[in-house]
Amino acid sequence: MKYCSKCGAQCADEVKFCSSCGSSLDATQTSDKQDAEQNKAMAILSYLGILVLIPIFAAKDSKFARFHANQGLVLCIASIIYGVAYSVLSTIILAISWRLYFLVSILGFLSIGFLVLCVIGIINAANGQEKELPIIGKFRILK
C-alpha cells in the first residue's frame, strides 16, 4: 500500500499517481511512510533525555528514527549545557547577594523552553513527521 506525500491518501501499489490529488507516487514515499510507522516508538524515545541512546544504537538503519535521534541528542546536549550554566550563574549571583535571587528565578524559567521543545519533538515523531525543532533543529550531530 502506498501513501501520497501531499494528501496522505492510500493508493494501490501498482498506480503511479494519487487518485485523490493526482500527484506522482514513487517507491521512496512508500518506504519513508513504512519507516515512520515502524519506528515511531524509537523516535519518541529520542526526546526523553538520556534514552536518546536507545534509538541511536537500536535503530541505526532507520532514516526516520535517526532524524529524531539527532534532534533529541541536540536537545539533550543543550539542556545539559543549560543546566551547568544555570548552576554556575546561580552560584555566582547568590554569592554576590541573596537579594539577587529573582535573577536566579528568571533564569530557572528558561528551562520550560526545553520542555516545550521536547513536547514538540514527541508530537512530530508521533505524527510521523520529520520537522526540525525550533532554534536548535538546524544542528547535525548524527548523519
Side-chain angles (χ1 to χ4, degrees), residues 17-32:
F17 297 97
C18 176
S19 58
S20 296
C21 68
S23 66
S24 176
L25 302 171
D26 60 1
T28 59
Q29 291 173 348
T30 304
S31 63
D32 288 347

Side-chain angles (χ1 to χ4, degrees), residues 28-67:
T28 59
Q29 291 173 348
T30 304
S31 63
D32 288 347
K33 190 74 168 176
Q34 288 173 347
D35 182 27
E37 287 297 320
Q38 292 172 351
N39 293 297
K40 275 186 184 179
M42 288 291 180
I44 290 171
L45 279 177
S46 298
Y47 296 100
L48 301 178
I50 197 68
L51 294 179
V52 70
L53 295 175
I54 295 172
I56 288 174
F57 294 117
K60 292 179 184 177
D61 299 330
S62 169
K63 180 184 170 208
F64 180 75
R66 198 93 174 141
F67 173 82

Side-chain angles (χ1 to χ4, degrees), residues 7 9 18 20 28 33 46-47 51 60 64 66 76 82 91-92 104 106 108 112 121 125 134 136-140:
C7 68
C18 176
S20 296
T28 59
K33 190 74 168 176
S46 298
Y47 296 100
L51 294 179
K60 292 179 184 177
F64 180 75
R66 198 93 174 141
C76 184
Y82 168 77
T91 303
I92 292 170
V104 174
I106 292 171
I112 294 172
I136 63 172
K138 300 282 184 207
F139 296 102
R140 295 281 176 259

Side-chain angles (χ1 to χ4, degrees), residues 41-136:
M42 288 291 180
I44 290 171
L45 279 177
S46 298
Y47 296 100
L48 301 178
I50 197 68
L51 294 179
V52 70
L53 295 175
I54 295 172
I56 288 174
F57 294 117
K60 292 179 184 177
D61 299 330
S62 169
K63 180 184 170 208
F64 180 75
R66 198 93 174 141
F67 173 82
H68 287 287
N70 181 70
Q71 297 286 296
L73 184 61
V74 170
L75 181 61
C76 184
I77 291 170
S79 65
I80 289 170
I81 291 170
Y82 168 77
V84 170
Y86 175 75
S87 297
V88 170
L89 285 174
S90 63
T91 303
I92 292 170
I93 290 171
L94 291 176
I96 294 171
S97 174
W98 61 271
R99 292 181 181 151
L100 296 174
Y101 186 75
F102 71 94
L103 289 175
V104 174
S105 300
I106 292 171
L107 289 174
F109 283 121
L110 293 177
S111 65
I112 294 172
F114 291 104
L115 178 65
V116 169
L117 291 176
C118 180
V119 169
I120 290 171
I122 289 173
I123 290 171
N124 288 339
N127 290 334
Q129 300 172 343
E130 289 186 14
K131 288 185 178 177
E132 292 180 345
L133 292 174
I135 302 168
I136 63 172

